Amino acid sequence: MADLHAFGRREDAAEALAEAVLHRLATGLSARGAATLVVPGGTSPAALFACLRCADLDWSRVTVVPSDERWVPVTDPESNERLLRETLCIDAAADARLLGLYRDTPTPRAALGEVAAALDALPIVVDAVVLGMGADGHTASLFPDARNIAACLETSAPCVAPQRPPGETPRLSLSLARLRATKSLSLLCFGEDKRAAYTRAAEPGPSTQYPVRGVIHQSRVPLSVYWAD
Ligand SMILES: O=C(O)[C@H](O)[C@@H](O)[C@H](O)[C@H](O)COP(=O)(O)O
């Protein structure tokens, strides 16, 4: 199960999570001379990134990986790689190595082999994974409405291409297996709607209904939840 850290202000939640992540990265750097951090896209991590990018860390030895990617060019406003390049890998973190997931292929599925090979070059267990979640219980790009969500949740492959409904931007996501292969797993979410969704997901039930259950109901690595209204 998970331990829930509730904060009065979103900035406080972000600062607390940044401190935990930086400690984990520094531990990895001193132990192995390198560290890997997986982070979400979306709006919630903005204050977290603002804390991380000011931190005095040897970022040149840190690899940053988005938990998922929208299948748009990396110059597109929707791109998570662009988001990380513009809001995390700057300032003190400008030298971090950003391992993007987007490839210039018509579909995410066409890039699965190449992206999987890139992810396989990472350590089997990364140092820290930070995830967001939606009020529908998705995390990364593991959405309950994806037609192949069951297969996406069960695979041991490092990345998956959820089949989104027509009209939705195609996406590629790190798989649950990859997201759980970490020394530190955190979920950052704000607002009552997400707290209610988290509470529902914390009850037993199928992960296909709430994919975030895949990181809540697991014994591989303790989950820390950072929440503020
Ligand atoms: O690419 C993404 O958008 C994220 O990886 C996704 O899983 C995000 O964390 C949630 O959708 C929450 O998004 P917000 O933080 O914007 O609410």
Side-chain angles (χ1 to χ4, degrees):
M1 279 308 280
D3 54 332
L4 176 67
H5 306 272
F7 293 84
R9 298 184 323 138
R10 295 184 178 191
E11 295 78 4
D12 296 341
E15 285 170 19
L17 178 51
E19 185 179 344
V21 166
L22 289 167
H23 174 72
R24 182 62 68 174
L25 294 178
T27 302
L29 288 173
S30 61
R32 284 171 281 106
T36 304
L37 169 63
V38 175
V39 290
T43 57
S44 298
L48 170 67
F49 293 167
C51 294
L52 292 177
R53 65 175 180 248
C54 298
D56 180 16
L57 192 77
D58 186 354
W59 286 99
S60 67
R61 294 185 292 149
V62 177
T63 299
V64 175
V65 189
S67 61
D68 56 321
E69 187 55 277
R70 297 85 178 277
W71 219 246
V72 292
V74 296
T75 52
D76 189 290
E78 266 202 87
S79 165
N80 280 344
E81 181 172 337
R82 171 175 168 175
L83 175 77
L84 299 185
R85 209 172 286 291
E86 293 181 348
T87 65
L88 175 54
C89 303
I90 57 174
D91 300 340
D95 292 339
R97 173 185 171 236
L98 178 52
L99 176 60
L101 304 179
Y102 177 75
R103 298 295 184 274
D104 188 15
T105 60
T107 65
R109 179 169 299 279
L112 280 178
E114 188 179 336
V115 175
L119 294 171
D120 284 347
L122 294 174
I124 293 173
V125 179
V126 300
D127 297 275
V129 169
V130 179
L131 295 172
M133 67 172 280
D136 62 353
H138 83 262
T139 191
S141 281
L142 302 168
F143 289 88
D145 62 359
R147 279 190 290 117
N148 61 337
I149 187 58
C152 285
L153 296 175
E154 290 156 11
T155 182
S156 59
C159 56
V160 291
Q163 295 167 16
R164 305 293 335 272
E168 294 285 345
T169 303
R171 296 200 183 199
L172 184 146
S173 183
L174 267 60
S175 65
L176 272 184
R178 199 65 181 94
L179 293 171
R180 291 187 300 220
T182 180
K183 296 180 175 67
S184 164
L185 181 61
S186 304
L187 183 67
L188 179 66
C189 51
F190 298 139
E192 272 309 321
D193 60 344
K194 291 186 183 180
R195 174 132 190 194
Y198 172 80
T199 302
R200 289 192 299 274
E203 295 162 4
S207 291
T208 50
Q209 180 186 19
Y210 294 108
V212 73
R213 279 184 170 141
V215 296
I216 298 172
H217 301 280
Q218 50 80 30
S219 54
R220 167 73 183 66
V221 56
L223 174 68
S224 296
V225 182
Y226 292 76
W227 176 85
D229 191 4

